[in-house]
Amino acid sequence: MRSVAVELGVGTMSLYRYIETRDQLEIMIVDLVLAKVALKPPAAEWSDAVSILAEEMRRALTAHPATATLVVTHRFTSANGLRWAEALLTALTAAGLTGKQRYFAFRTLVGYVVGAFQTEYTVPFPRETAALPAELRADEFPLLAENARDARRVGFDDEFRYGLGVVLDGLAHSVRRSSKPRGRL
């Protein structure tokens, strides 16, 4: 908790005079981290709005990586986390998604954004695996060794945007499929 408070520029001892529980403090920190997330993407296609919201959330998270666990834990208990979720649901609704389909799309996107962030800051794949070819037996793990070599040329921004594009393409396909009239051919 101290490293988070230091990163955010506040002292933990003085905060505990005003806050009753650790959970309250954690939620306040998450609210502070997510306060700068832009929630009103310019009028655009639903997929562009979702992409902007995802990038905004990632930007806020990567600005304060020490808060990763707190944001993951309290993203839906902080007011700003709830505002982001509502904005994301608004964009998905604009795509024509409702009910279970919107719920699945929402959970998929949240899972992707949070998972990509956690991967970047807890399992830095491209940097960590760049050393793997030296340790791997290429005759036993040829594709893993090749993949590790390729990872050296990949940045986290490109990795995030590629993955988000794949998720959005899948959602767009789902939207098109659900908007087709159903019946016998």
Side-chain angles (χ1 to χ4, degrees):
M1 182 60 68
R2 179 155 177 70
S3 66
V4 171
V6 168
E7 181 181 333
L8 294 172
V10 296
T12 53
M13 297 311 280
S14 60
L15 285 174
Y16 281 118
R17 281 188 254 164
Y18 304 100
I19 299 167
E20 293 179 25
T21 68
R22 181 183 175 108
D23 267 0
Q24 283 179 318
L25 176 59
E26 290 176 358
I27 291 168
M28 289 176 76
I29 290 169
V30 170
D31 251 358
L32 185 61
V33 167
L34 300 182
K36 296 193 179 190
V37 172
L39 299 175
K40 303 241 186 235
E45 288 290 319
W46 70 269
S47 58
D48 293 335
V50 167
S51 183
I52 290 167
L53 288 165
E55 291 271 358
E56 280 292 308
M57 178 59 85
R58 180 175 179 266
R59 183 189 53 73
L61 295 173
T62 57
H64 303 285
T67 65
T69 303
L70 297 180
V71 173
V72 170
T73 302
H74 296 292
R75 67 188 179 273
F76 295 135
T77 53
S78 78
N80 288 323
L82 292 171
R83 287 182 187 100
W84 179 80
E86 186 70 17
L88 183 58
L89 285 166
T90 299
L92 294 172
T93 301
L97 299 174
T98 59
K100 284 184 183 179
Q101 192 180 27
R102 180 176 56 202
Y103 168 77
F104 293 145
F106 176 77
R107 293 284 293 178
T108 299
L109 285 161
V110 170
Y112 176 73
V113 172
V114 170
F117 171 72
Q118 286 180 307
T119 298
E120 184 172 344
Y121 283 95
T122 60
V123 184
F125 184 74
R127 293 182 198 124
E128 186 176 277
T129 58
L132 278 180
E135 299 169 18
L136 288 176
R137 291 187 39 200
D139 60 326
E140 188 176 359
F141 304 106
L143 295 176
L144 188 56
E146 180 183 349
N147 200 53
R149 283 191 303 275
D150 292 341
R152 288 184 229 162
R153 297 187 303 269
V154 176
F156 287 120
D157 291 341
D158 292 336
E159 183 179 338
F160 180 81
R161 288 186 186 109
Y162 177 84
L164 182 59
V166 169
V167 171
L168 290 173
D169 287 349
L171 288 175
H173 175 74
S174 181
V175 166
R176 284 190 304 274
R177 189 179 64 225
S178 69
S179 66
K180 290 181 181 176
R182 294 205 169 115
R184 294 186 168 189
L185 296 176

